[in-house]
Amino acid sequence: RAEDVPPPPRHIRGAVRSTPCFKSHPLSEHTGAEVFVKQEQSHYTGSFKERGARYALSQIAKRFAGNDNFKGVIAASAGNHALALSWHGPQLGLPITVIMPEVAPIAKIGRCRQLGANVVVHGAHILEAFKHSQTDEFAGWEYLNGFDHPDIIAGAGTLGLEVDEQVDDIDYVLVPVGGGGLIAGVALALSTVRPSCKVLGVEPERCASYQAALLAGEPVETPTRPTLADGLAVPKVGANAFAVAKDLVKETVSVNERQIAIAMLRLVETEKMVIEGGGAVGLAAILPGGPLHAKVQGKRVVLPLCGGNIDTTVLGRVLDRGLAADGRLVKFVATISDRPGGIAGLSQLLYQQRASIRDIFHERAWTHTAIDLVRIKVVLETTNQQHADEVRAALVDFLGEGQLQWNAAD
């Protein structure tokens, strides 16, 4: 119901910041739309999850006030929901326990403990962590689902209310979809205050659980594979979230890993923002080649950048994948002369093509060629895809087609 979405001034303003939403000129140029980015990564714990967590915890604090059997709030989470509870629970005087699976990043485990939560690391994945939270060991603890509790959905809806205040004449809001809580809350809020605005969902194709639910007419278990948008990899959308969103969100699309990596790269390069994969899927959908690129031409589009919690070690690998997908990092394997001057000739050619060698590896022992030949693996930095194609053509002329393996898997 629309009345279940709390307006920010009454419930969470002051405790959860109203995040900026501004026009991105470079992203508008890249996409052909008038793009506004809402900086949800600027919350204290780095994601929009604070909205639902704060509102839900405030309602729990009221409901259980004076109840001697109430021990606190418990949740199973590998990341953002756990961080949000760990930050806001102590502020409301609520003990917080988070069950985190063994795959949870060490930095997030440590941060939750630093914020005052009791952290229990248990299980190989989030389902095992959830099952552990339901054991008798945690009797008296109130479980708070991170995406399907009505108060979580209501709190998430405040993002939509803020967008309505910040941007005029919105055509589309592109909302990342995992468990469905955010898109349900935002769609419900905007359908009330801005019915002309259309809310579209975007999810990773490796876990398109919301689209599967739309096809089935109800939430269903969906096969998942590892994805850069790991925060959206929820195999089954929430029943409450789906009940709210299914009649309000008429279109949802999926994006692939290449598109997500390029979107993350674009945000770093153009807006100097580090956004996790789940927060970048909206941009991925409207960049050239994305499923919504044609639809948004000339339209005013809001992209909630839902989180920025990505490990620094992972970030480097993601950026490299983005550069490779963008044609700016290429790899080739070639067989050249192992006599003096063999490498010099190749290096001279790459210099003439203005390609920069990042890595080069000589392989002599595991090659089945003449003894005076060597197999080399080279990683190059190029300007763009056109430049990469020009370098490849020059290498084919120099080495011969049969002597070059371009962007080889090995």
Side-chain angles (χ1 to χ4, degrees):
R1 299 175 304 167
E3 57 268 29
D4 290 333
V5 181
R10 286 194 295 121
H11 294 287
I12 63 174
R13 185 165 287 174
V16 175
R17 70 176 304 193
S18 176
T19 57
C21 186
F22 64 88
K23 181 177 178 178
S24 170
H25 293 280
L27 294 181
S28 296
E29 293 173 3
H30 276 298
T31 62
E34 192 174 0
V35 176
F36 294 80
V37 291
K38 185 153 178 64
Q39 295 181 272
E40 289 297 287
Q41 86 285 0
S42 65
H43 288 292
Y44 181 75
T45 60
S47 87
F48 79 96
K49 289 288 190 179
E50 288 195 26
R51 297 178 178 277
R54 180 70 186 204
Y55 180 59
L57 289 173
S58 70
Q59 300 310 298
I60 289 173
K62 294 175 184 177
R63 192 161 66 249
F64 288 96
N67 187 333
D68 294 335
N69 295 322
F70 173 70
K71 295 182 179 179
V73 176
I74 189 171
S77 169
N80 291 342
H81 182 52
L83 286 166
L85 294 179
S86 300
W87 171 238
H88 288 282
Q91 295 178 35
L92 293 166
L94 295 174
I96 300 294
T97 289
V98 288
I99 313 297
M100 306 184 77
E102 295 166 0
V103 295
I106 294 175
K108 289 183 179 179
I109 293 173
R111 182 61 175 152
C112 287
R113 286 179 173 144
Q114 185 181 20
L115 290 171
N118 171 41
V119 178
V120 178
V121 179
H122 182 91
H125 48 73
I126 194 66
L127 181 58
E128 290 186 1
F130 168 73
K131 289 179 178 178
H132 186 60
S133 73
Q134 302 301 297
T135 60
D136 292 341
E137 179 181 349
F138 301 105
W141 290 79
E142 178 75 2
Y143 187 82
L144 184 58
N145 185 291
F147 55 82
D148 203 40
H149 192 286
D151 290 339
I152 291 285
I153 297 171
T158 61
L159 188 154
L161 297 179
E162 286 181 14
V163 164
D164 174 62
E165 297 171 353
Q166 293 169 320
V167 184
D168 295 326
D169 303 321
I170 310 168
D171 292 301
Y172 300 111
V173 177
L174 271 56
V175 180
V177 184
L182 178 61
I183 197 167
V186 170
L188 183 56
L190 287 174
S191 69
T192 305
V193 298
R194 189 81 68 96
S196 62
C197 173
K198 297 179 180 177
V199 176
L200 307 179
V202 186
E203 56 188 347
E205 66 175 20
R206 292 191 167 197
C207 185
S209 56
Y210 185 77
Q211 292 174 79
L214 288 174
L215 288 173
E218 62 181 0
V220 291
E221 290 285 345
T222 306
T224 64
R225 290 177 290 161
T227 171
L228 292 174
D230 56 337
L232 304 181
V234 179
K236 185 177 181 180
V237 298
N240 294 324
F242 183 72
V244 172
K246 63 183 176 65
D247 295 324
L248 300 174
V249 181
K250 298 302 183 183
E251 184 176 0
T252 302
V253 299
S254 54
V255 291
N256 61 37
E257 298 301 288
R258 176 183 181 278
Q259 292 165 333
I260 297 171
I262 290 178
M264 296 172 72
L265 177 65
R266 292 283 183 270
L267 286 162
V268 169
E269 291 186 322
T270 63
E271 293 296 347
K272 311 302 182 259
M273 294 180 184
V274 176
I275 303 298
E276 60 190 88
V281 295
L283 177 59
I286 63 173
L287 285 170
L292 295 175
H293 178 67
K295 189 183 191 75
V296 301
Q297 295 305 294
K299 303 296 185 180
R300 290 168 71 88
V301 178
V302 175
L303 302 178
L305 305 178
C306 295
N309 290 322
I310 181 171
D311 286 352
T312 52
T313 53
V314 175
L315 178 61
R317 296 199 295 270
V318 169
L319 294 181
D320 276 348
R321 288 192 181 191
L323 289 168
D326 210 23
R328 293 156 60 190
L329 195 65
V330 298
K331 181 176 74 169
F332 69 85
V333 178
T335 302
I336 64 172
S337 171
D338 198 22
R339 298 184 183 281
I343 292 291
L346 179 67
S347 298
Q348 181 64 23
L349 173 71
L350 295 175
Y351 165 73
Q352 292 170 352
Q353 295 297 317
R354 295 295 187 265
S356 177
I357 298 176
R358 175 187 279 197
D359 293 304
I360 186 168
F361 175 73
H362 298 65
E363 189 174 277
R364 292 183 173 88
W366 293 277
T367 184
H368 304 289
T369 60
I371 197 66
D372 61 344
L373 298 178
V374 62
R375 192 168 182 253
I376 61 168
K377 298 179 182 179
V378 183
V379 177
L380 296 178
E381 294 175 352
T382 53
T383 304
N384 51 35
Q385 186 62 58
Q386 180 181 347
H387 184 207
D389 293 340
E390 292 170 356
V391 172
R392 183 185 184 283
L395 285 168
V396 170
D397 289 342
F398 180 73
L399 298 168
E401 184 74 53
Q403 300 302 316
L404 179 70
Q405 298 176 47
W406 189 256
N407 280 338
D410 181 17

